[in-house]
Amino acid sequence: MDITSFVSFLLSLLLILVQANGRNDSSCPKSFSCGNLTDLSFPFSLSTQPDCGIIPISGCDAKPYPRIRLLPGGDWYYALEKQYSSIWLGDAEFQTTLNQHKCQAFNKDFFLPISPSVSFPILNTYNFFKCNSTNNNTPNITQKKNNHFAGYKMYNGCKGFSIYYKLPGDDNVKDIPADNLPTNCSLIRLPFHSVSGDGDLFDLLGPEIQVEWKLSEDCNRCHYGGGQCQTDTTNKFYCQDDLSILTTTGTSKTGHRRRIWLILTTGAVLLTVALLVLLFCFREKIVWYKYIRFWESNAEDHKNIEAFLKNYGSYTPKRYSYSEVKRITSGFKNKLGQGGCGSVYKGSLHNGSHVAVKVLNRLKDSGEEFINEVAIISRTSHVNIVNLVGFCFEGRKRALIYEFMSNGSLEKFIYEERSDGVRQLGWPILYKIALGIARGLEYLHRGCNTRILHFDIKPHNILLDDDFCPKISDFGLAKLCMKKESIVSMLGARGTMGYIAPEIVCRNLGGVSHKSDVYSYGMMVLEMVGGRKNIDVEVDRTSEIYFPHWLYGRIELDEELQLIGIMNEEEKECARKMVMVSLWCIQTDPSNRPSMTKAVEMLEGNLELLQIPPKPYSYSPSRSEVDSSIVELT
């Protein structure tokens, strides 16, 4: 028997054994799609394949969305969007009652029971207290209720009961425990759609909930052991297998047969691994090597990247192999920094030019952010946009190769708590940087054939070259839209807390558009001006905690800005101009913000011609929001 026949025999034997030993690898797909939902896997399953999961999805071709039922006999919801370990659901019946302002909406309580197999925490519901009116509701009893819910808002537009609630982020009002309620009052949990304090309560509520799923240890062990998670008539967990019924302790009536299959399968796997090692050692002479390399890569990722290469053709930057990346970085010797998505190393190309190589961690999704960044930067060519020299996509190894920016990110220069040896930037350089970033954003919004919305403008994503020329980087969260489309579709928030435009979180403030980047730009420039975070919890004077409000007060009264480092009238004019433009950019109503073209004109124009903008929205984020990291709910 030659080596090719022998390899075929072993692989066939391994496939037969694995199929015989477990249900999951043979009859159930590793992943599937349903309507707008992609890359679905256990615990989800199609309603036509109930044995493949415990959360059935149906109506994949239905409009507007597929339907999902979390627990047997439970309600059906619209499945709006799946994220890494959570899913956005829509309650059509609840939406109808909200739209019609029916008081039956307050009979709803968004709380999902826990099953022995899986639990469903809801991430975006808040506590409301429903207090029924009775015949003995004397003024004294009513006053006691109002005192109990001191600081809470009250809605009494429904006959027979009142609703007490507080808005998210209102830390000045203490939480009331559910076990300490007045008589005839009960707790209900409902999702907020808006955090604005204005308007009717029905307008503040929304029909969308974000549900996280968490498998129990028993179900997790059962599923990956080839069994099926089940619940008996007494609501106790058991694991059903093709060969036996396993209890939660893992005992089996046919354990001997399972051990035989386990030994056979393990032996076949070890033999195959040994063979693959031999093939690897002789990879230069054995044609099978190219197939082994292909097996190492995720098939879906390859499908996406190859489709991208085909679509973009000559616009695609150079593709490097992983061995070339190692050579460029001298074996990843000179590490420049570490981030949430990977590490950055300094390297050199054949021609001697320096580059920054960002080696990405293993991605949670199907490489969408990676492909997104390559695709979008490939469309750009501007002095204020970072230049992508090339990329690497080889199996699970991914890297982005950029032009090297010797001064790093803007973040390390603008705050007062700078590291030793980092120079303080003068006002002429700060003004030049602000103007350069504005021109780069104007190019993204107007200068490309397709409008590019960045959605993550912040000091960390602005790189500086030798001459402190700014370059916008990190397009992983960006979106493309046609120029004629003023509003883009987005179900959740994306960006970094402190720079996210309010309409991205509160949709009743306006549509998400290029004006969302304008807001982020304004918040960033205010931090450049102040040398500190806009939300500073360390200062003593409460009026100075939210820096934009403090600045606006001084502009409104035509007082000195009291900014550090201003040496002459020219620098004073630069600073004042940057402040005025920024305050225009952070207007709550997107329609009141200037376009980036107008922002550039204001920065380059006469200070005397700039009008004082309306005062920005008075919401001051809480400490928890200050400490929040990036949110990406795409």
Side-chain angles (χ1 to χ4, degrees):
M1 181 184 294
D2 59 24
I3 187 169
T4 302
S5 301
F6 182 61
V7 169
S8 300
F9 169 75
L10 284 179
L11 293 179
S12 300
L13 177 60
L14 178 62
L15 180 61
I16 293 171
L17 289 172
V18 171
Q19 287 180 337
N21 191 45
R23 166 188 52 79
N24 293 332
D25 293 332
S26 57
S27 59
C28 298
K30 290 185 178 179
S31 64
F32 64 97
S33 298
C34 181
N36 58 304
L37 306 177
T38 58
D39 199 27
L40 295 169
S41 58
F42 187 86
F44 299 95
S45 69
L46 293 171
S47 57
T48 55
Q49 295 177 305
D51 291 343
C52 295
I54 53 179
I55 306 177
I57 299 178
S58 68
C60 297
D61 298 325
K63 300 297 181 182
Y65 300 101
R67 297 193 309 149
I68 188 171
R69 185 164 67 179
L70 300 178
L71 292 171
D75 295 332
W76 285 92
Y77 298 91
Y78 284 128
L80 306 179
E81 180 187 14
K82 174 186 170 292
Q83 293 166 353
Y84 178 60
S85 61
S86 65
I87 187 167
W88 281 90
L89 305 179
D91 188 325
E93 182 180 350
F94 188 61
Q95 182 175 19
T96 301
T97 58
L98 290 178
N99 293 341
Q100 298 176 355
H101 286 212
K102 289 185 176 181
C103 291
Q104 288 90 328
F106 301 109
N107 295 334
K108 182 77 173 180
D109 183 11
F110 282 92
F111 175 76
L112 299 171
I114 298 174
S115 83
S117 298
V118 61
S119 59
F120 300 100
I122 303 179
L123 305 182
N124 66 327
T125 56
Y126 297 87
N127 290 344
F128 292 73
F129 299 95
K130 179 180 178 181
C131 295
N132 295 324
S133 303
T134 65
N135 295 330
N136 345 335
N137 258 10
T138 63
N140 186 37
I141 293 176
T142 302
Q143 184 60 41
K144 284 184 178 180
K145 287 183 182 178
N146 292 339
N147 292 340
H148 190 87
F149 295 106
Y152 275 63
K153 296 179 179 293
M154 182 181 74
Y155 179 80
N156 56 6
C158 292
K159 184 178 180 181
F161 61 88
S162 299
I163 298 294
Y164 293 87
Y165 66 97
K166 71 171 186 174
L167 296 175
D170 190 358
D171 295 331
N172 295 323
V173 180
K174 67 176 183 178
D175 292 324
I176 296 176
D179 59 353
N180 182 26
L181 298 178
T183 307
N184 297 327
C185 293
S186 59
L187 169 68
I188 58 175
R189 285 144 289 203
L190 301 173
F192 266 112
H193 172 68
S194 165
V195 295
S196 171
D198 302 323
D200 191 83
L201 178 56
F202 288 94
D203 298 325
L204 300 182
L205 299 175
E208 299 176 357
I209 55 174
Q210 185 184 8
V211 179
E212 190 178 33
W213 67 88
K214 294 183 177 180
L215 292 179
S216 67
E217 292 185 5
D218 291 332
C219 182
N220 195 64
R221 182 168 58 248
C222 171
H223 170 70
Y224 289 103
Q228 182 180 355
C229 301
Q230 295 286 344
T231 303
D232 64 16
T233 55
T234 62
N235 201 34
K236 290 185 178 180
F237 174 84
Y238 71 91
C239 181
Q240 181 173 336
D241 186 86
D242 289 339
L243 297 175
S244 62
I245 303 295
L246 301 182
T247 67
T248 55
T249 59
T251 59
S252 170
K253 296 179 181 178
T254 54
H256 180 66
R257 293 171 61 188
R258 289 184 61 83
R259 283 194 294 273
I260 292 176
W261 284 116
L262 182 61
I263 292 171
L264 290 174
T265 305
T266 304
V269 169
L270 292 176
L271 194 58
T272 304
V273 169
L275 180 61
L276 293 178
V277 170
L278 290 175
L279 290 174
F280 180 81
C281 295
F282 296 97
R283 61 187 180 277
E284 300 298 334
K285 298 181 180 180
I286 302 176
V287 72
W288 278 71
Y289 173 65
K290 63 181 181 180
Y291 297 109
I292 295 173
R293 291 188 62 187
F294 177 78
W295 295 337
E296 291 176 348
S297 304
N298 183 286
E300 188 63 30
D301 284 350
H302 271 277
K303 181 180 178 181
N304 291 340
I305 194 67
E306 297 304 336
F308 159 73
L309 293 172
K310 181 178 179 181
N311 291 337
Y312 282 81
S314 59
Y315 293 99
T316 308
K318 182 177 179 181
R319 185 173 183 175
Y320 290 86
S321 67
Y322 189 69
S323 59
E324 289 176 308
V325 171
K326 291 178 67 175
R327 180 190 55 76
I328 290 172
T329 59
S330 300
F332 308 109
K333 183 178 180 181
N334 190 354
K335 188 174 183 178
L336 299 176
Q338 175 81 37
C341 60
S343 303
V344 181
Y345 301 88
K346 186 176 181 180
S348 298
L349 300 179
H350 275 304
N351 58 11
S353 59
H354 295 303
V355 291
V357 181
K358 181 162 69 173
V359 180
L360 304 180
N361 296 332
R362 183 177 179 182
L363 302 184
K364 297 179 181 178
D365 54 25
S366 299
E368 292 177 2
E369 283 192 23
F370 173 82
I371 297 173
N372 196 44
E373 181 151 5
V374 175
I376 288 179
I377 300 186
S378 301
R379 295 171 176 261
T380 63
S381 178
H382 190 271
V383 66
N384 296 119
I385 306 296
V386 70
N387 180 34
L388 182 65
V389 178
F391 69 98
C392 168
F393 184 93
E394 187 175 304
R396 297 179 180 177
K397 299 178 175 67
R398 302 167 192 181
L400 297 168
I401 303 173
Y402 296 102
E403 58 178 324
F404 179 69
M405 297 287 105
S406 58
N407 278 316
S409 72
L410 174 63
E411 184 179 43
K412 71 179 184 180
F413 289 96
I414 62 174
Y415 300 125
E416 293 178 359
E417 57 276 8
R418 294 182 302 276
S419 303
D420 295 339
V422 176
R423 61 178 283 192
Q424 178 179 349
L425 301 181
W427 285 99
I429 294 180
L430 287 174
Y431 173 77
K432 168 188 169 184
I433 292 172
L435 183 58
I437 300 168
R439 287 172 176 163
L441 278 173
E442 179 192 25
Y443 167 79
L444 294 177
H445 294 173
R446 294 191 57 187
C448 301
N449 293 331
T450 303
R451 175 175 284 165
I452 299 173
L453 310 185
H454 190 280
F455 285 123
D456 201 17
I457 294 297
K458 58 182 179 180
H460 181 76
N461 290 339
I462 305 300
L463 303 179
L464 304 172
D465 67 8
D466 292 337
D467 300 320
F468 289 94
C469 175
K471 295 180 185 286
I472 299 172
S473 70
D474 201 337
F475 286 76
L477 301 183
K479 283 180 74 82
L480 299 174
C481 71
M482 302 305 295
K483 289 185 179 179
K484 63 182 179 180
E485 296 175 356
S486 58
I487 304 298
V488 297
S489 174
M490 189 189 305
L491 281 177
R494 56 171 65 189
T496 302
M497 194 64 70
Y499 306 93
I500 302 176
E503 67 271 12
I504 293 181
V505 179
C506 308
R507 298 302 164 80
N508 62 331
L509 295 177
V512 178
S513 68
H514 63 286
K515 293 293 186 73
S516 303
D517 279 348
V518 175
Y519 181 92
S520 302
Y521 170 79
M523 294 297 285
M524 180 185 65
V525 174
L526 285 177
E527 291 190 349
M528 294 170 58
V529 168
R532 70 180 196 185
K533 296 283 187 181
N534 289 323
I535 308 161
D536 191 346
V537 296
E538 301 299 331
V539 297
D540 296 329
R541 293 170 56 186
T542 305
S543 61
E544 296 186 17
I545 291 178
Y546 191 47
F547 186 58
H549 287 178
W550 183 85
L551 270 181
Y552 183 87
R554 306 199 74 82
I555 288 285
E556 191 176 32
L557 299 174
D558 197 27
E559 296 179 347
E560 289 292 331
L561 297 180
Q562 299 181 355
L563 299 176
I564 299 173
I566 296 179
M567 306 298 294
N568 52 50
E569 286 299 318
E570 181 181 353
E571 293 184 356
K572 179 180 177 181
E573 180 176 332
C574 285
R576 203 169 187 86
K577 195 183 296 184
M578 290 167 66
V579 171
M580 292 281 281
V581 172
S582 298
L583 291 175
W584 272 111
C585 289
I586 65 170
Q587 292 296 301
T588 305
D589 186 347
S591 62
N592 288 339
R593 299 174 205 152
S595 66
M596 288 312 304
T597 301
K598 182 63 177 176
V600 171
E601 291 176 1
M602 289 193 290
L603 284 171
E604 294 178 330
N606 191 335
L607 175 63
E608 302 299 326
L609 299 179
L610 294 182
Q611 297 181 355
I612 297 179
K615 186 175 182 179
Y617 180 48
S618 60
Y619 171 66
S620 182
S622 65
R623 176 64 181 267
S624 62
E625 292 173 318
V626 177
D627 297 333
S628 295
S629 59
I630 291 181
V631 289
E632 303 172 23
L633 307 177
T634 58

